[in-house]
Amino acid sequence: MPQLKATPASALADEPVHIRATGLPPMQLVTLTASLKDERGNLFRSKAFYKANEAGELDLQEAPSLGGDYVGVHPMGLFWSLKPERPFRRLLKKDVMSSPFSVTLDIYNSVCLLESAMVQPSASQVVQRWFRCPGTQRVQIWEGRLRGALFLPPGEGPFPGIIDLFGGVGGLVEFRASLLATHGFAVLALAYFAYEDLPQLLREVDLEYFEEAANLLLAHPKIQGPGIGVMSVSKGAEIGLAMACFLKQVVATVCINGANAIFDFPLKYRDLVMSPIQSFMERMETDVSGAVRLFHYRGDPRDKANRQSVLPIEKAQGQILFIIGENDQSINSREYAKQALEQLKSHGRSNGRMLVYPGAGHLIEPPYAPLCYASRNNAGSLILLWGGDPVAHAAAQEHAWGEIQMFFRQHLTQTRSQL
């Protein structure tokens, strides 16, 4: 009688799962599948073909997939290769506190190319993937004009504080903040447009809004000062880099696939207004999937006419870590990070470094999240190409997540001991 066992059956979303099968016919070819429905009912599936050993056993930590959505030894491949049944859907956990993602694992005693209700699995198991640990507190933030959610780890603290910024997806995205809180950080997931009474569309970036968020975080009794970190991606990483440049409260900044200059909308801070670099609609390209590649869409920060729009990274007092996906199809992020580091060096500064991940795309998420190759923009009118090779992207997510935590631990806890 075949049995399928995944341990732990309930775990954090960034923790690996050990998948094994026993009781199979010796040397049997089998199909392993994973499926989950998000909170909107969108179905995500993956599959891989394996061969049992002479004892009728299968261990995904040792056995290679022979085909399907990935090939080779990838113990978590069924998770990171999940694909939306309806194209261009991005898997995003909305309610991080009260429910996990439930992933159903099935094994079939044959090679099943097509899903069919007529074929029943030989064995199944449901795996729960949580985005918070027991004792995590979620505090809704509605102070002045600030909108967000603060995640506090269990215990008295004080904890290193981080502001978490996403990009053009808009709204309040909480899954990364809640996961970081499971690792001992107090994290403010901050919305800045398309949420509650905030502007529906982003027309300008007011850096004082983000300064207010930094001050709110530092004023909290469970936050360890004297400085905070910023975790940021895409448009959020452009804002995160601006925070590093202008806000003394920011001592450690992670920029995932962002720009080194102001694009699309002006940035305002007190009396300063930085105009965006011109973009060129005619340089948009359409991928074979129908998604739009924005890689060549933006003007060049190195052009003399654009120098006033380049962020003064040499003013940043804290440490900056650029996380770069070399297969980013949305932003020329490697070039922008390179320019930023050269700018630092030309001013005798060495407080920035870059991690480059070959094959990784634009949306580098926590480990085991499926690659989102393309998805609809916030307005829903355009399908945007993000890029990434699934295997390389998965490896990048796993490595970068550890590097990000080490970076914040080093620079947020060190500042306290230096006082």
Side-chain angles (χ1 to χ4, degrees):
M1 180 77 178
Q3 283 192 312
L4 185 61
K5 186 160 188 177
T7 52
S10 181
L12 290 170
D14 63 353
E15 291 179 347
V17 173
H18 187 185
I19 301 171
R20 288 164 291 179
T22 56
L24 300 167
M27 310 303 290
Q28 174 74 46
L29 285 168
V30 298
T31 301
L32 269 168
T33 69
S35 61
L36 76 79
K37 277 189 178 177
D38 69 10
E39 288 131 318
R40 293 178 176 170
N42 294 307
L43 183 63
F44 292 75
R45 298 180 192 267
S46 64
K47 71 156 73 69
F49 309 127
Y50 286 90
K51 191 174 190 176
N53 65 16
E54 297 91 336
E57 297 173 346
L58 179 63
D59 186 336
L60 265 59
Q61 288 190 346
E62 301 168 0
S65 166
L66 307 174
D69 289 325
Y70 57 92
V71 173
V73 179
H74 296 290
M76 289 294 287
L78 288 168
F79 291 83
W80 54 248
S81 67
L82 285 162
K83 297 181 182 68
E85 190 176 51
R86 296 167 66 199
F88 310 124
R89 296 295 187 275
R90 182 178 175 188
L91 185 62
L92 288 173
K93 189 74 176 84
K94 299 290 186 186
D95 175 8
V96 297
M97 291 301 288
S98 58
S99 67
F101 272 145
S102 292
V103 182
T104 301
L105 302 174
D106 292 313
I107 191 166
Y108 299 83
N109 277 355
S110 61
V111 174
C112 303
L113 284 173
L114 301 172
E115 282 83 21
S116 170
M118 306 291 289
V119 183
Q120 293 300 309
S122 308
S124 302
Q125 185 174 345
V126 175
V127 175
Q128 293 187 331
R129 307 294 283 164
W130 287 91
F131 289 81
R132 55 99 181 149
C133 63
T136 302
Q137 276 184 279
R138 180 190 182 275
V139 182
Q140 187 77 36
I141 299 299
W142 193 288
E143 302 235 355
R145 56 178 178 160
L146 294 177
R147 303 289 178 264
L150 175 61
F151 291 90
L152 295 168
E156 291 305 308
F159 307 106
I162 298 170
I163 292 175
D164 190 19
L165 302 173
F166 277 79
V169 66
L172 181 59
V173 185
E174 303 179 19
F175 71 89
R176 193 168 63 189
S178 62
L179 267 182
L180 275 173
T182 69
H183 296 281
F185 300 98
V187 190
L188 172 59
L190 186 64
Y192 54 98
F193 77 103
Y195 178 72
E196 297 290 353
D197 57 348
L198 294 174
Q200 192 58 32
L201 297 174
L202 192 61
R203 302 201 186 279
E204 67 175 31
V205 174
D206 179 1
L207 206 59
E208 288 185 55
Y209 176 82
F210 301 89
E211 185 173 41
E212 288 165 22
N215 289 334
L216 176 130
L217 201 52
L218 282 169
H220 195 285
K222 285 196 173 185
I223 303 300
Q224 170 185 314
I228 62 156
V230 175
M231 175 85 173
S232 56
V233 64
S234 194
K235 184 66 179 180
E238 181 187 311
I239 297 169
L241 191 58
M243 292 173 73
C245 294
F246 294 111
L247 306 185
K248 66 181 185 303
Q249 300 93 328
V250 176
V251 299
T253 306
V254 173
C255 296
I256 302 173
N257 291 325
N260 65 323
I262 302 305
F263 286 101
D264 303 316
F265 318 102
L267 178 131
K268 297 182 177 181
Y269 182 56
R270 298 179 182 170
D271 297 330
L272 173 73
V273 179
M274 294 181 72
S275 300
I277 291 175
Q278 184 181 357
S279 297
F280 301 89
M281 300 276 283
E282 67 273 19
R283 293 185 192 168
M284 291 182 179
E285 303 167 46
T286 306
D287 179 66
V288 66
S289 68
V292 173
R293 180 186 287 109
L294 297 180
F295 190 84
H296 300 291
Y297 156 79
R298 297 167 186 85
D300 190 343
R302 293 169 302 181
D303 289 351
K304 190 180 280 188
N306 296 332
R307 282 183 189 162
Q308 297 304 308
S309 302
V310 176
L311 287 163
I313 188 172
E314 66 277 1
K315 291 185 178 179
Q317 297 303 303
Q319 297 291 318
I320 302 165
L321 175 62
F322 295 98
I323 305 270
I324 304 300
E326 210 165 36
N327 193 238
D328 186 346
Q329 297 296 305
S330 177
I331 292 178
N332 193 355
S333 47
R334 181 172 187 173
E335 178 58 31
Y336 295 149
K338 184 170 160 248
Q339 290 174 26
L341 292 175
E342 285 171 355
Q343 192 173 328
L344 274 177
K345 190 176 178 184
S346 71
H347 286 82
R349 307 294 306 285
S350 59
N351 52 323
R353 67 184 177 100
M354 171 168 60
L355 288 174
V356 180
Y357 293 99
H362 184 68
L363 296 176
I364 296 176
E365 313 259 47
Y368 319 122
L371 166 69
C372 181
Y373 184 74
S375 65
R376 293 190 181 276
N377 69 345
N378 175 256
S381 52
L382 274 183
I383 295 163
L384 298 179
L385 185 68
W386 308 118
D389 166 76
V391 174
H393 193 86
Q397 290 187 155
E398 197 168 344
H399 185 267
W401 191 238
E403 291 290 319
I404 287 164
Q405 291 172 58
M406 281 195 295
F407 173 78
F408 281 135
R409 279 203 184 89
Q410 181 183 353
H411 299 298
L412 293 181
T413 54
Q414 200 179 58
T415 54
R416 184 178 176 84
S417 62
Q418 288 173 344
L419 283 182

